[in-house]
Amino acid sequence: ASMGAQASALAEAGVPAALAALLKSDDPLVAAGAARALGALAEDEAARAAARASGAVDALAAALAACADGERKMTLALTLASLLRGDTTGVGWPAIVAALATAAGAASAPMKQLADAVAPALTDALAAPKPAAPAPTREPSSPFSAQPLRGPQRAMAADLD
């Protein structure tokens, strides 16, 4: 059987939900192993959807926030990216920023310093309430459009409709 068929069968059997539960383990090796397995399953669309539906994204976000080990943090960030694939619906900015900062930090020591320095401020800025936009004002398109039509003008306008 192909990996896709196997991943779909595993998704139907509830494996993504079991792995999502393991992401909450106090043992960081268990959580990292579960993340690697979820990342592999996420190649299959049915398994990816099952993992998202099982709460794996929230579990990954929490594990990512709590992880201090660079290699494990990268595993969590990459698995989160595999599950999201650009669809950030329902995912908070802290998880997205943490995943991006983790990946950026792997590029070089100065990039890690930059990512570590700006990630908290960026998360705060993205979470801050946005000011309400002013209500649009409607200006007449011409000075004549604000004037009521009278007599023959009204009849001509009715013919145009």
Side-chain angles (χ1 to χ4, degrees), residues 37-149:
L38 271 173
L41 286 176
E43 296 301 316
D44 177 74
E45 189 56 38
R48 186 176 84 81
R52 286 194 69 149
S54 73
V57 170
D58 289 339
L60 279 166
L64 188 58
C67 186
D69 178 79
E71 188 175 328
R72 288 187 200 115
K73 196 167 193 161
M74 180 61 80
T75 298
L76 295 166
L78 291 173
T79 301
L80 181 62
S82 293
L83 290 182
L84 296 180
R85 292 205 193 145
D87 178 7
T88 59
T89 306
V91 182
W93 282 115
I96 294 168
V97 171
L100 293 173
T102 299
S108 68
M111 185 59 81
K112 180 171 180 8
Q113 290 172 331
L114 176 63
D116 289 346
V118 301
L122 182 57
T123 300
D124 290 346
L126 290 168
K130 307 292 180 266
T137 58
R138 185 161 185 237
E139 304 265 339
S141 57
S142 78
F144 302 109
S145 63
Q147 304 294 322
L149 298 177

